[in-house]
Amino acid sequence: MEIVKDEDLCRYALIDQFDIIFYDSNDVKELYSMYINFGKEFFRGIYDYEQNRYLDEVDIIDLIGCQVHDP
């Protein structure tokens, strides 16, 4: 496990069920793809550090600009 400083984190993070950052990115579409492909049941969700909250699907659609579909 790697210790990361807050200032080194990207805006969004995919958080697992153990409250550990699985992956972080400034691209919410990339994280949402990982969230779907690896399995929603393994994650708490996508966290937005700027807004200090988890994003729901409506937030993600607003950010991406289009409807997202499960494969």
Side-chain angles (χ1 to χ4, degrees):
M1 180 165 37
E2 178 182 358
I3 305 291
V4 179
K5 298 176 188 170
D6 286 345
E7 61 268 10
D8 294 334
L9 291 172
C10 296
R11 177 172 176 181
Y12 306 104
L14 184 56
I15 308 295
D16 71 11
Q17 292 293 349
F18 299 104
D19 287 330
I20 297 172
I21 298 170
F22 181 79
Y23 191 79
D24 71 327
S25 175
N26 288 317
D27 183 358
V28 73
K29 188 174 184 179
E30 175 185 29
L31 290 177
Y32 188 73
S33 176
M34 294 173 76
Y35 178 65
I36 296 300
N37 291 329
F38 285 109
K40 292 179 182 181
E41 64 274 9
F42 298 113
F43 300 101
R44 291 195 186 274
I46 298 173
Y47 192 79
D48 182 343
Y49 286 105
E50 191 173 286
Q51 296 182 16
N52 292 321
R53 66 184 184 91
Y54 283 93
L55 301 176
D56 60 20
E57 193 162 319
V58 173
D59 296 322
I60 293 168
I61 291 169
D62 287 344
L63 291 168
I64 295 173
C66 63
Q67 184 80 22
V68 288
H69 300 281
D70 290 345

